[in-house]
Amino acid sequence: MPEGDSVYRATATLHRALAGQTLLRSDFRVPSLATVDLSGYAVAEVVPRGKHLLMRLQPPLTPDPDFSQPPLTLHSHLLMEGRWDLYRPGERFRRPANTVRVLLAFADLTAVGFDIAQVKLVPTAEEADLVGHLGPDLLGANWDAVQAAANFRDHPHRGIGEALLDQRLMAGVGNIYRSEILFLTRLHPLTAVGDIVQLEKVIEMAHRLLVVNKDRGRRVTTGLARTREPYWVYGRTGKPCLRCGAKVEVLRIAAQDSELQRDCFFCPHCQSAAN
Ligand SMILES: [Zn+2]
């Protein structure tokens, strides 16, 4: 699952390359949008909202009586495998052509969305219907730590390891950061939210990790960009904890409203109890 910071970077790259550019051709390879033609629309901006990527599109600036369409938002959620790439004319795709879901052609660049699980197109005025359910965005301009804490406190019986991935409470944390945030705040993943006195510290840690990594090419939570160990516990099952030497363990935790179980890594010694 892409974390909020990787969506932020993907979004920033698309925004820099495409803002102000006019679409010459669009090709949607998803059934619900197969007949859509966005040619003539211009990219106003590309913005992240949690792990969602929003490309806002404007009708041509020159008023054309035959072109009275509303501003549109192309929404994509990258989920596990999705990504957007940019190509110069004639450049070979770096991913299999049969995984293309969206192709947007501009004068000297083509944006290609591969393996994107969710692609939707809505009038920009109705954008909130798609992302309005999201909690405060860790990398958003209106980040609200107090609201995020209040959202978590509304769910005192849920485990913090599960709740951190609930984008309705706070948007942007994926599986890697979940493990790292819990390690850095010394919380066992099954600790009930209501038992965490220093909930604000957990939220502050999430915010700090995403902010320091948002413009970096390589995600690091250990603070040493050159280290061979970018993560404290993530993906390190059976290896010694970098702090205490105990063996890192993994728990499979299901999300509240889904069957999907995801690995949460932790050190049983450093993260033994609620605090
Ligand atoms: Zn440890």
Side-chain angles (χ1 to χ4, degrees):
M1 180 189 325
E3 311 268 344
D5 61 342
S6 51
V7 176
Y8 180 94
R9 275 196 301 279
T11 304
T13 302
L14 288 175
H15 179 80
R16 273 196 303 274
L18 304 178
Q21 298 237 29
T22 298
L23 268 156
L24 304 182
R25 187 169 67 86
S26 66
D27 180 1
F28 287 92
R29 299 180 190 171
V30 288
S32 59
L33 297 174
T35 60
V36 169
D37 176 8
L38 293 176
S39 55
Y41 268 87
V43 175
E45 58 180 347
V46 189
V47 295
R49 184 74 180 86
K51 293 190 280 184
H52 302 249
L53 193 148
L54 305 176
M55 185 183 291
R56 296 184 177 133
L57 302 165
Q58 284 176 334
L61 293 175
T62 316
D64 177 341
D66 295 331
F67 202 118
S68 58
Q69 307 224 50
L72 295 174
T73 295
L74 177 62
H75 162 272
S76 53
H77 193 303
L78 307 182
L79 284 177
M80 304 292 277
E81 303 290 336
R83 61 180 284 172
W84 280 94
D85 281 351
L86 292 166
Y87 295 97
R88 297 280 170 195
E91 198 179 344
R92 276 178 68 110
F93 287 179
R94 294 182 286 277
R95 285 217 172 177
N98 63 2
T99 63
V100 173
R101 296 290 172 270
V102 189
L103 195 146
L104 305 173
F106 302 86
D108 54 1
L109 267 182
T110 298
V112 185
F114 295 93
D115 267 331
I116 293 170
Q118 297 172 11
V119 186
K120 288 173 191 155
L121 191 64
V122 296
T124 298
E126 295 169 22
E127 204 178 87
D129 294 349
L130 291 177
V131 291
H133 64 287
L134 293 175
D137 186 344
L138 283 157
L139 292 176
N142 304 317
W143 162 241
D144 185 344
V146 173
Q147 183 61 52
N151 291 350
F152 279 95
R153 288 218 163 83
D154 282 344
H155 299 264
H157 303 300
R158 288 170 66 181
I160 185 67
E162 177 269 316
L164 275 174
L165 291 189
D166 188 337
Q167 307 296 306
R168 294 168 299 186
L169 306 183
M170 178 170 82
V173 172
N175 213 33
I176 296 173
Y177 282 123
R178 181 253 300 262
S179 293
E180 299 296 292
I181 291 162
L182 294 174
F183 177 82
L184 287 164
T185 52
R186 295 191 165 229
L187 285 169
H188 189 281
L190 299 180
T191 308
V193 169
D195 292 339
I196 302 173
V197 179
Q198 307 271 30
L199 187 59
E200 281 75 10
K201 278 199 177 164
V202 179
I203 288 162
E204 189 191 313
M205 183 61 71
H207 187 232
R208 208 160 86 201
L209 287 182
L210 265 82
V211 167
V212 299
N213 280 292
K214 74 184 169 61
D215 297 316
R216 271 213 282 247
R218 181 166 174 255
R219 185 180 296 123
V220 174
T221 62
T222 47
L224 300 164
R226 288 175 170 277
T227 182
R228 269 193 248 159
E229 300 285 359
Y231 305 132
W232 290 103
V233 287
Y234 182 81
R236 301 190 67 250
T237 317
K239 292 185 181 167
C241 169
L242 296 176
R243 183 189 276 149
C244 76
K247 276 190 180 168
V248 172
E249 294 182 9
V250 64
L251 265 176
R252 291 188 71 76
I253 302 178
Q256 188 187 45
D257 301 324
S258 107
E259 300 287 298
L260 187 67
Q261 295 200 333
R262 302 186 60 92
D263 289 345
C264 185
F265 302 87
F266 70 105
C267 169
H269 177 252
C270 293
Q271 297 167 256
S272 55
N275 60 10

